[in-house]
Amino acid sequence: MGAPSADSDSVHSAEPTTRAMRKRADRVRLIEHTAARLFAEYGYEATNFEAIGAALDMRGSSLYYYFPSKEELFLRCMEHAAAEVFPRLRVIAESVGAPLDRLRAMFREEAVITLVEYPEFIPLFLKVQVPVDSLEQRRDELRREQTAIFRRVVDELVTAPQAIPADRLHVTLNLALGGLALIGEWFKPGSDLGVEEFADQVSQTLIRMFVADGG
């Protein structure tokens, strides 16, 4: 049997590193989801590394291995959620189809994201008070970025004959996004209406707000 090639050695040496990186990424994701839930439940100031660590069955000091501070952890929670969600909305916004159809699909996607995939993170963008100017500034930037994705499609409705007047479009969009952000507060999991059906109803209801005769 010949000696292992250099390429073979590099593959074998890379495998443990790759596994370690995946393990670390999984742990970071779990920490972020847990931290987001606690920030939403108890507020920014009342949540610390000890509380987050306890919820994860870890020592609070162990979190410093992953995040240098609570401020950085809160920031990463927001930015990672945005990095996952915004591209999905852009794909729909930039797809082929009538603006009303794309907007309805975006509302539906946002509803599913809010209820199923990132329910812990939504309050971080809305109701958690953060006494750190840099975090407030970044949060405002991310909110504006999300709104801009929707607004690009809404602006196409200016020339749509069935749409409401142009001077009402942006106000109506703000109302729609505000309503979407709160659906996690009153949707009841396990009800006769499942998430998918609920998301369909929500998106259809919201899109009627943009139709001149109410749909």
Side-chain angles (χ1 to χ4, degrees), residues 179-202:
L180 271 174
L182 295 174
I183 60 175
E185 300 288 332
W186 45 269
F187 174 70
K188 302 300 182 185
S191 64
D192 292 339
L193 197 63
V195 170
E196 298 292 333
E197 294 83 359
F198 179 77
D200 283 334
Q201 287 194 6
V202 167

PDB file of all heavy atoms in Angstrom, residues 179-202:
ATOM      1  N   GLY A 179     -48.973  45.258  11.743  1.00  0.00           N
ATOM      2  CA  GLY A 179     -49.868  44.151  12.051  1.00  0.00           C
ATOM      3  C   GLY A 179     -49.170  42.810  11.984  1.00  0.00           C
ATOM      4  O   GLY A 179     -49.373  41.946  12.854  1.00  0.00           O
ATOM      5  N   LEU A 180     -48.329  42.610  10.974  1.00  0.00           N
ATOM      6  CA  LEU A 180     -47.584  41.354  10.856  1.00  0.00           C
ATOM      7  C   LEU A 180     -46.689  41.114  12.061  1.00  0.00           C
ATOM      8  O   LEU A 180     -46.553  39.988  12.538  1.00  0.00           O
ATOM      9  CB  LEU A 180     -46.721  41.385   9.592  1.00  0.00           C
ATOM     10  CG  LEU A 180     -47.345  40.896   8.294  1.00  0.00           C
ATOM     11  CD1 LEU A 180     -46.383  41.140   7.138  1.00  0.00           C
ATOM     12  CD2 LEU A 180     -47.697  39.417   8.377  1.00  0.00           C
ATOM     13  N   ALA A 181     -46.075  42.170  12.542  1.00  0.00           N
ATOM     14  CA  ALA A 181     -45.141  42.029  13.654  1.00  0.00           C
ATOM     15  C   ALA A 181     -45.822  41.536  14.923  1.00  0.00           C
ATOM     16  O   ALA A 181     -45.170  40.945  15.793  1.00  0.00           O
ATOM     17  CB  ALA A 181     -44.447  43.365  13.926  1.00  0.00           C
ATOM     18  N   LEU A 182     -47.119  41.753  15.030  1.00  0.00           N
ATOM     19  CA  LEU A 182     -47.842  41.420  16.264  1.00  0.00           C
ATOM     20  C   LEU A 182     -48.614  40.106  16.193  1.00  0.00           C
ATOM     21  O   LEU A 182     -49.241  39.712  17.187  1.00  0.00           O
ATOM     22  CB  LEU A 182     -48.806  42.553  16.617  1.00  0.00           C
ATOM     23  CG  LEU A 182     -48.154  43.891  16.973  1.00  0.00           C
ATOM     24  CD1 LEU A 182     -49.218  44.963  17.148  1.00  0.00           C
ATOM     25  CD2 LEU A 182     -47.304  43.770  18.233  1.00  0.00           C
ATOM     26  N   ILE A 183     -48.596  39.407  15.063  1.00  0.00           N
ATOM     27  CA  ILE A 183     -49.440  38.225  14.959  1.00  0.00           C
ATOM     28  C   ILE A 183     -49.024  37.126  15.934  1.00  0.00           C
ATOM     29  O   ILE A 183     -49.855  36.311  16.337  1.00  0.00           O
ATOM     30  CB  ILE A 183     -49.474  37.660  13.523  1.00  0.00           C
ATOM     31  CG1 ILE A 183     -48.072  37.270  13.052  1.00  0.00           C
ATOM     32  CG2 ILE A 183     -50.117  38.647  12.576  1.00  0.00           C
ATOM     33  CD1 ILE A 183     -48.081  36.597  11.684  1.00  0.00           C
ATOM     34  N   GLY A 184     -47.763  37.116  16.341  1.00  0.00           N
ATOM     35  CA  GLY A 184     -47.331  36.125  17.321  1.00  0.00           C
ATOM     36  C   GLY A 184     -47.968  36.307  18.683  1.00  0.00           C
ATOM     37  O   GLY A 184     -47.991  35.376  19.494  1.00  0.00           O
ATOM     38  N   GLU A 185     -48.508  37.494  18.933  1.00  0.00           N
ATOM     39  CA  GLU A 185     -49.134  37.780  20.222  1.00  0.00           C
ATOM     40  C   GLU A 185     -50.511  37.135  20.336  1.00  0.00           C
ATOM     41  O   GLU A 185     -50.970  36.873  21.451  1.00  0.00           O
ATOM     42  CB  GLU A 185     -49.271  39.296  20.416  1.00  0.00           C
ATOM     43  CG  GLU A 185     -47.955  40.064  20.390  1.00  0.00           C
ATOM     44  CD  GLU A 185     -47.135  39.821  21.638  1.00  0.00           C
ATOM     45  OE1 GLU A 185     -47.729  39.533  22.686  1.00  0.00           O
ATOM     46  OE2 GLU A 185     -45.891  39.925  21.553  1.00  0.00           O
ATOM     47  N   TRP A 186     -51.173  36.897  19.204  1.00  0.00           N
ATOM     48  CA  TRP A 186     -52.551  36.405  19.319  1.00  0.00           C
ATOM     49  C   TRP A 186     -52.842  35.149  18.522  1.00  0.00           C
ATOM     50  O   TRP A 186     -53.926  34.584  18.660  1.00  0.00           O
ATOM     51  CB  TRP A 186     -53.547  37.500  18.945  1.00  0.00           C
ATOM     52  CG  TRP A 186     -53.235  38.281  17.721  1.00  0.00           C
ATOM     53  CD1 TRP A 186     -52.520  39.434  17.650  1.00  0.00           C
ATOM     54  CD2 TRP A 186     -53.650  38.003  16.376  1.00  0.00           C
ATOM     55  NE1 TRP A 186     -52.448  39.881  16.347  1.00  0.00           N
ATOM     56  CE2 TRP A 186     -53.133  39.034  15.546  1.00  0.00           C
ATOM     57  CE3 TRP A 186     -54.406  36.990  15.793  1.00  0.00           C
ATOM     58  CZ2 TRP A 186     -53.336  39.076  14.172  1.00  0.00           C
ATOM     59  CZ3 TRP A 186     -54.613  37.017  14.422  1.00  0.00           C
ATOM     60  CH2 TRP A 186     -54.084  38.059  13.626  1.00  0.00           C
ATOM     61  N   PHE A 187     -51.904  34.671  17.710  1.00  0.00           N
ATOM     62  CA  PHE A 187     -52.130  33.386  17.061  1.00  0.00           C
ATOM     63  C   PHE A 187     -51.991  32.268  18.086  1.00  0.00           C
ATOM     64  O   PHE A 187     -51.050  32.258  18.886  1.00  0.00           O
ATOM     65  CB  PHE A 187     -51.120  33.172  15.929  1.00  0.00           C
ATOM     66  CG  PHE A 187     -51.220  31.794  15.313  1.00  0.00           C
ATOM     67  CD1 PHE A 187     -52.313  31.448  14.535  1.00  0.00           C
ATOM     68  CD2 PHE A 187     -50.230  30.854  15.535  1.00  0.00           C
ATOM     69  CE1 PHE A 187     -52.413  30.187  13.970  1.00  0.00           C
ATOM     70  CE2 PHE A 187     -50.316  29.587  14.976  1.00  0.00           C
ATOM     71  CZ  PHE A 187     -51.410  29.255  14.189  1.00  0.00           C
ATOM     72  N   LYS A 188     -52.913  31.331  18.085  1.00  0.00           N
ATOM     73  CA  LYS A 188     -52.923  30.237  19.046  1.00  0.00           C
ATOM     74  C   LYS A 188     -52.462  28.934  18.388  1.00  0.00           C
ATOM     75  O   LYS A 188     -53.207  28.344  17.601  1.00  0.00           O
ATOM     76  CB  LYS A 188     -54.330  30.043  19.639  1.00  0.00           C
ATOM     77  CG  LYS A 188     -54.883  31.276  20.322  1.00  0.00           C
ATOM     78  CD  LYS A 188     -54.016  31.730  21.476  1.00  0.00           C
ATOM     79  CE  LYS A 188     -54.623  32.949  22.173  1.00  0.00           C
ATOM     80  NZ  LYS A 188     -53.720  33.476  23.225  1.00  0.00           N
ATOM     81  N   PRO A 189     -51.240  28.486  18.670  1.00  0.00           N
ATOM     82  CA  PRO A 189     -50.791  27.202  18.109  1.00  0.00           C
ATOM     83  C   PRO A 189     -51.715  26.069  18.545  1.00  0.00           C
ATOM     84  O   PRO A 189     -52.234  26.063  19.654  1.00  0.00           O
ATOM     85  CB  PRO A 189     -49.390  27.029  18.715  1.00  0.00           C
ATOM     86  CG  PRO A 189     -48.962  28.400  19.092  1.00  0.00           C
ATOM     87  CD  PRO A 189     -50.224  29.121  19.508  1.00  0.00           C
ATOM     88  N   GLY A 190     -51.922  25.131  17.672  1.00  0.00           N
ATOM     89  CA  GLY A 190     -52.781  24.006  18.000  1.00  0.00           C
ATOM     90  C   GLY A 190     -54.246  24.251  17.729  1.00  0.00           C
ATOM     91  O   GLY A 190     -55.081  23.375  17.978  1.00  0.00           O
ATOM     92  N   SER A 191     -54.583  25.437  17.239  1.00  0.00           N
ATOM     93  CA  SER A 191     -55.985  25.707  16.908  1.00  0.00           C
ATOM     94  C   SER A 191     -56.348  24.985  15.614  1.00  0.00           C
ATOM     95  O   SER A 191     -55.509  24.397  14.944  1.00  0.00           O
ATOM     96  CB  SER A 191     -56.203  27.220  16.749  1.00  0.00           C
ATOM     97  OG  SER A 191     -55.449  27.706  15.659  1.00  0.00           O
ATOM     98  N   ASP A 192     -57.620  25.043  15.267  1.00  0.00           N
ATOM     99  CA  ASP A 192     -58.072  24.363  14.046  1.00  0.00           C
ATOM    100  C   ASP A 192     -57.362  24.901  12.811  1.00  0.00           C
ATOM    101  O   ASP A 192     -57.187  24.191  11.825  1.00  0.00           O
ATOM    102  CB  ASP A 192     -59.591  24.523  13.888  1.00  0.00           C
ATOM    103  CG  ASP A 192     -60.363  23.765  14.952  1.00  0.00           C
ATOM    104  OD1 ASP A 192     -59.778  22.829  15.538  1.00  0.00           O
ATOM    105  OD2 ASP A 192     -61.529  24.107  15.206  1.00  0.00           O
ATOM    106  N   LEU A 193     -56.977  26.158  12.873  1.00  0.00           N
ATOM    107  CA  LEU A 193     -56.295  26.787  11.752  1.00  0.00           C
ATOM    108  C   LEU A 193     -54.783  26.654  11.940  1.00  0.00           C
ATOM    109  O   LEU A 193     -54.213  27.173  12.899  1.00  0.00           O
ATOM    110  CB  LEU A 193     -56.674  28.272  11.673  1.00  0.00           C
ATOM    111  CG  LEU A 193     -56.379  28.994  10.363  1.00  0.00           C
ATOM    112  CD1 LEU A 193     -57.187  28.395   9.221  1.00  0.00           C
ATOM    113  CD2 LEU A 193     -56.683  30.473  10.512  1.00  0.00           C
ATOM    114  N   GLY A 194     -54.123  25.925  11.044  1.00  0.00           N
ATOM    115  CA  GLY A 194     -52.685  25.749  11.131  1.00  0.00           C
ATOM    116  C   GLY A 194     -51.931  26.979  10.673  1.00  0.00           C
ATOM    117  O   GLY A 194     -52.519  27.936  10.138  1.00  0.00           O
ATOM    118  N   VAL A 195     -50.616  26.964  10.874  1.00  0.00           N
ATOM    119  CA  VAL A 195     -49.795  28.123  10.535  1.00  0.00           C
ATOM    120  C   VAL A 195     -49.892  28.466   9.055  1.00  0.00           C
ATOM    121  O   VAL A 195     -50.032  29.641   8.683  1.00  0.00           O
ATOM    122  CB  VAL A 195     -48.326  27.875  10.940  1.00  0.00           C
ATOM    123  CG1 VAL A 195     -47.422  28.977  10.378  1.00  0.00           C
ATOM    124  CG2 VAL A 195     -48.193  27.812  12.446  1.00  0.00           C
ATOM    125  N   GLU A 196     -49.824  27.461   8.199  1.00  0.00           N
ATOM    126  CA  GLU A 196     -49.848  27.728   6.761  1.00  0.00           C
ATOM    127  C   GLU A 196     -51.168  28.372   6.343  1.00  0.00           C
ATOM    128  O   GLU A 196     -51.177  29.350   5.580  1.00  0.00           O
ATOM    129  CB  GLU A 196     -49.620  26.426   5.983  1.00  0.00           C
ATOM    130  CG  GLU A 196     -48.280  25.755   6.240  1.00  0.00           C
ATOM    131  CD  GLU A 196     -47.123  26.560   5.691  1.00  0.00           C
ATOM    132  OE1 GLU A 196     -47.334  27.313   4.714  1.00  0.00           O
ATOM    133  OE2 GLU A 196     -46.005  26.452   6.233  1.00  0.00           O
ATOM    134  N   GLU A 197     -52.265  27.825   6.840  1.00  0.00           N
ATOM    135  CA  GLU A 197     -53.572  28.385   6.507  1.00  0.00           C
ATOM    136  C   GLU A 197     -53.728  29.784   7.102  1.00  0.00           C
ATOM    137  O   GLU A 197     -54.283  30.691   6.468  1.00  0.00           O
ATOM    138  CB  GLU A 197     -54.696  27.484   7.020  1.00  0.00           C
ATOM    139  CG  GLU A 197     -54.768  26.118   6.345  1.00  0.00           C
ATOM    140  CD  GLU A 197     -53.797  25.111   6.950  1.00  0.00           C
ATOM    141  OE1 GLU A 197     -53.056  25.480   7.896  1.00  0.00           O
ATOM    142  OE2 GLU A 197     -53.770  23.974   6.467  1.00  0.00           O
ATOM    143  N   PHE A 198     -53.231  29.947   8.303  1.00  0.00           N
ATOM    144  CA  PHE A 198     -53.284  31.253   8.953  1.00  0.00           C
ATOM    145  C   PHE A 198     -52.478  32.277   8.163  1.00  0.00           C
ATOM    146  O   PHE A 198     -52.925  33.410   7.944  1.00  0.00           O
ATOM    147  CB  PHE A 198     -52.757  31.140  10.379  1.00  0.00           C
ATOM    148  CG  PHE A 198     -52.752  32.436  11.135  1.00  0.00           C
ATOM    149  CD1 PHE A 198     -53.917  32.957  11.656  1.00  0.00           C
ATOM    150  CD2 PHE A 198     -51.567  33.136  11.334  1.00  0.00           C
ATOM    151  CE1 PHE A 198     -53.915  34.162  12.363  1.00  0.00           C
ATOM    152  CE2 PHE A 198     -51.548  34.327  12.038  1.00  0.00           C
ATOM    153  CZ  PHE A 198     -52.727  34.848  12.542  1.00  0.00           C
ATOM    154  N   ALA A 199     -51.280  31.885   7.736  1.00  0.00           N
ATOM    155  CA  ALA A 199     -50.433  32.788   6.941  1.00  0.00           C
ATOM    156  C   ALA A 199     -51.129  33.166   5.640  1.00  0.00           C
ATOM    157  O   ALA A 199     -51.031  34.319   5.185  1.00  0.00           O
ATOM    158  CB  ALA A 199     -49.088  32.136   6.662  1.00  0.00           C
ATOM    159  N   ASP A 200     -51.827  32.219   5.032  1.00  0.00           N
ATOM    160  CA  ASP A 200     -52.588  32.521   3.816  1.00  0.00           C
ATOM    161  C   ASP A 200     -53.660  33.576   4.095  1.00  0.00           C
ATOM    162  O   ASP A 200     -53.811  34.540   3.332  1.00  0.00           O
ATOM    163  CB  ASP A 200     -53.261  31.253   3.277  1.00  0.00           C
ATOM    164  CG  ASP A 200     -52.285  30.333   2.557  1.00  0.00           C
ATOM    165  OD1 ASP A 200     -51.264  30.830   2.046  1.00  0.00           O
ATOM    166  OD2 ASP A 200     -52.555  29.123   2.515  1.00  0.00           O
ATOM    167  N   GLN A 201     -54.403  33.382   5.177  1.00  0.00           N
ATOM    168  CA  GLN A 201     -55.477  34.322   5.500  1.00  0.00           C
ATOM    169  C   GLN A 201     -54.939  35.712   5.812  1.00  0.00           C
ATOM    170  O   GLN A 201     -55.487  36.717   5.371  1.00  0.00           O
ATOM    171  CB  GLN A 201     -56.303  33.799   6.676  1.00  0.00           C
ATOM    172  CG  GLN A 201     -57.202  32.632   6.332  1.00  0.00           C
ATOM    173  CD  GLN A 201     -58.246  32.377   7.412  1.00  0.00           C
ATOM    174  OE1 GLN A 201     -58.378  33.138   8.363  1.00  0.00           O
ATOM    175  NE2 GLN A 201     -58.988  31.298   7.266  1.00  0.00           N
ATOM    176  N   VAL A 202     -53.847  35.756   6.591  1.00  0.00           N
ATOM    177  CA  VAL A 202     -53.251  37.045   6.949  1.00  0.00           C
ATOM    178  C   VAL A 202     -52.785  37.784   5.702  1.00  0.00           C
ATOM    179  O   VAL A 202     -53.058  38.980   5.522  1.00  0.00           O
ATOM    180  CB  VAL A 202     -52.073  36.840   7.927  1.00  0.00           C
ATOM    181  CG1 VAL A 202     -51.248  38.119   8.058  1.00  0.00           C
ATOM    182  CG2 VAL A 202     -52.585  36.420   9.296  1.00  0.00           C
TER     183      VAL A 202
END
